[in-house]
Amino acid sequence: VLRIIKRPVDWDPNMSDPLKVKFRHSFEHMEMSASIGAEYIAAGTLVKVPSEFLATLGDRILSMRSPDRLTHEVDVGVLHAVLLPDLRTLPGMDGGGVDVTYMIEIKPKWGFLPSATNLSEETAVKATTCRYCMHQVYKTQAPYQKSSDRYCPLKLFSSN
């Protein structure tokens, strides 16, 4: 599985951060290992990818993407992707349909609250409300008009 970064379609390619994937990979591994244990992390391997490869990949998958996902595209300005093991099946499964595997992806950037000491007065709400929940409120407003869900990633890490 190759994890790549997407960006909004109207984003200027010159604004891409070439080291974004490298930073995210390091952050996810360190934060998630500390939160839930390194044995549960499929950290993957950071690999260099040429922008031509990313552009070709983006063109080839475009027709397979659902219409509501077409607001974002492959970010051709990054220098890396993350190569992950395929966790849809586990080693030792016989494939006879008896064993069932469930896979979830935890987005670690939404699984914690930042320290209030790192926030300004304008952004203080981030110390009490997770990023995912703030985005859900935003998406219920125009032009999105989507209904908000009751899921909160912070509940994954709570003890109750």
Side-chain angles (χ1 to χ4, degrees), residues 1-154:
V1 175
L2 186 66
R3 179 186 286 165
I4 56 173
I5 297 290
K6 295 178 290 297
R7 64 163 188 237
V9 171
D10 57 356
W11 185 260
D12 179 356
N14 296 319
M15 298 295 291
S16 294
D17 180 357
L19 300 177
K20 185 175 190 174
V21 176
K22 194 172 188 177
F23 172 77
R24 273 191 185 180
H25 180 257
S26 174
F27 173 80
E28 290 170 4
H29 187 262
M30 290 187 310
E31 287 296 322
M32 294 308 294
S33 292
S35 296
I36 63 173
E39 66 272 20
Y40 300 110
I41 304 297
T45 304
L46 200 62
V47 294
K48 286 189 173 189
V49 288
S51 58
E52 299 82 17
F53 169 79
L54 293 172
T56 301
L57 178 65
D59 291 342
R60 290 197 178 166
I61 65 170
L62 187 61
S63 64
M64 296 179 238
R65 300 187 71 205
S66 65
D68 61 325
R69 297 280 185 184
L70 296 179
T71 58
H72 286 73
E73 64 188 1
V74 172
D75 189 344
V76 298
V78 296
L79 301 174
H80 299 89
V82 178
L83 186 60
L84 295 160
D86 185 352
L87 298 175
R88 293 176 299 165
T89 59
L90 299 174
M93 291 179 63
D94 64 6
V98 176
D99 297 312
V100 177
T101 301
Y102 295 96
M103 179 178 64
I104 61 168
E105 178 182 11
I106 298 173
K107 304 247 183 203
K109 62 183 177 257
W110 294 337
F112 70 97
L113 296 173
S115 168
T117 58
N118 297 327
L119 302 171
S120 67
E121 283 185 33
E122 296 84 29
T123 60
V125 69
K126 292 180 178 182
T128 57
T129 307
C130 80
R131 183 173 187 244
Y132 181 86
C133 292
M134 285 190 282
H135 280 254
Q136 288 302 302
V137 170
Y138 175 73
K139 288 179 181 181
T140 62
Q141 300 168 8
Y144 302 104
Q145 300 292 325
K146 292 184 178 181
S147 62
S148 180
D149 62 35
R150 297 178 59 175
Y151 166 76
C152 177
L154 295 180

